[in-house]
Amino acid sequence: MIKATMVLEGGAKRGVFTAGALDFLMDNDLYVSHVVGVSAGSCNAIDYVSRQPGRSKDCMIQREKEYSYIADFRTIVKERTLIDMEKLFHRFPMEDFPFDFETYFSSDAVCECVVTNCMTGKAEYLTEDKDKEKLMKICRASSSMPLVSPIVKIDGIPYLDGGLADSIPVKRAVEIGNKKIILILTRQKGYRKKPVSKAEANIYRRAYRRYPELVKSILRRPIVYNRTAQWIEKLEEEGKIFVLRPSMPTIGRMEKDYEKLLTFYEHGYDSMKEQADRLTKFLEI
């Protein structure tokens, strides 16, 4: 295991790019000591630490309707969510695509999942090394997109998608202290977020009127994201960080087309394969 920190960006279905990149690393037995995943990146992170190549791909790319986690009408009404989170974080890991909890919990690697505390509006970096249900709950919270997913409570604290407060947790990676940082992004180089419109801001304020600090973080997210992206590009130019990102047009957050998802996954695998020598040299310096 290499002493380094790997940071995995989210992006819902765009996470298949990350899944492909990690599958190449796992196929070549390359593991690092620390992983920080946010949103869909947290799901990729735990599959990497549990050493299960192909699992993230299987969960996200399926032709069979029974494995679709876009919620049906009954679930939307009952759970007030557009995504069947119960299927994703209970049925999948326990039944359909078994998660190797034993390997995960026995791993020497530290895996942090980024969540946003709705009360403070700040990011928290949660870990779990014993409780199966709590681990899945943390991943669920990290992946719970605002407006389309319900708030998740862990130990009585309300959480939502980690990307709201820390979309690309490179600062956290620096705080961990490892000299080598690997970053896998799901957007092309140069991408910047647009400001939240007044109409969108009003929707967030109404939806989360009980959580004003959360709303502040949501509205400031584009500013924080863009500053972080600029900083990452500077670190990259200075050779202080290894970055892998798509070089082809990205897919949508909720992409359903099987072929597009598979192509983006394969792009992630091939991109990491093409950059393997560069990564090896980076880690050896």
Side-chain angles (χ1 to χ4, degrees), residues 81-254:
T81 177
L82 296 180
I83 301 172
D84 192 336
M85 304 297 270
E86 185 67 18
K87 179 183 286 187
L88 265 179
F89 297 102
H90 182 76
R91 203 187 92 181
F92 276 14
M94 303 299 182
E95 301 175 19
D96 298 332
F97 310 105
F99 181 76
D100 189 345
F101 290 98
E102 183 177 355
T103 298
Y104 181 86
F105 289 144
S106 64
S107 174
D108 291 329
V110 176
C111 183
E112 296 184 344
C113 298
V114 188
V115 295
T116 299
N117 184 316
C118 297
M119 301 295 292
T120 66
K122 295 181 179 180
E124 294 182 13
Y125 309 88
L126 305 184
T127 62
E128 178 54 46
D129 59 6
K130 294 179 181 178
D131 190 323
K132 296 179 181 180
E133 293 292 342
K134 188 172 182 179
L135 175 63
M136 288 299 117
K137 205 169 188 180
I138 289 171
C139 288
R140 177 172 178 167
S142 181
S143 305
S144 291
M145 295 183 289
L147 302 179
V148 300
S149 302
I151 288 171
V152 178
K153 288 192 175 182
I154 301 172
D155 298 329
I157 300 173
Y159 292 107
L160 274 176
D161 194 315
L164 301 178
D166 196 356
S167 296
I168 312 176
V170 172
K171 183 179 178 181
R172 175 60 179 174
V174 172
E175 291 172 352
I176 288 171
N178 290 326
K179 292 182 179 180
K180 303 299 181 180
I181 299 174
I182 303 166
L183 172 61
I184 301 181
L185 298 173
T186 58
R187 292 281 198 179
Q188 291 174 291
K189 189 170 185 176
Y191 171 79
R192 298 292 188 270
K193 284 189 178 297
K194 297 178 180 178
V196 178
S197 69
K198 290 184 178 179
E200 291 173 324
N202 288 332
I203 291 173
Y204 285 122
R205 290 190 180 101
R206 286 196 296 269
Y208 300 113
R209 56 184 177 276
R210 293 177 56 193
Y211 304 108
E213 296 304 317
L214 172 66
V215 174
K216 288 180 184 178
S217 288
I218 292 174
L219 300 186
R220 290 190 68 251
R221 185 186 184 191
I223 297 172
V224 175
Y225 183 99
N226 294 343
R227 286 177 180 171
T228 303
Q230 186 175 3
W231 181 45
I232 288 168
E233 290 170 7
K234 182 175 182 294
L235 292 175
E236 192 177 8
E237 290 174 2
E238 295 172 350
K240 295 179 179 179
I241 188 172
F242 176 94
V243 182
L244 185 78
R245 54 170 69 83
S247 57
M248 65 177 285
T250 59
I251 59 175
R253 292 176 62 87
M254 302 303 292

Side-chain angles (χ1 to χ4, degrees), residues 32-50:
V32 299
S33 59
H34 291 73
V35 187
V36 183
V38 56
S39 195
S42 66
C43 299
N44 283 313
I46 64 169
D47 286 344
Y48 174 73
V49 174
S50 68

Side-chain angles (χ1 to χ4, degrees), residues 2 180 277-285:
I2 300 168
K180 303 299 181 180
D277 289 343
R278 184 169 70 90
L279 175 60
T280 299
K281 292 177 182 177
F282 173 78
L283 293 172
E284 289 176 346
I285 294 174

Side-chain angles (χ1 to χ4, degrees), residues 18-32:
T18 304
L22 294 180
D23 279 355
F24 175 83
L25 295 182
M26 286 189 276
D27 285 346
N28 289 274
D29 201 33
L30 196 158
Y31 292 92
V32 299

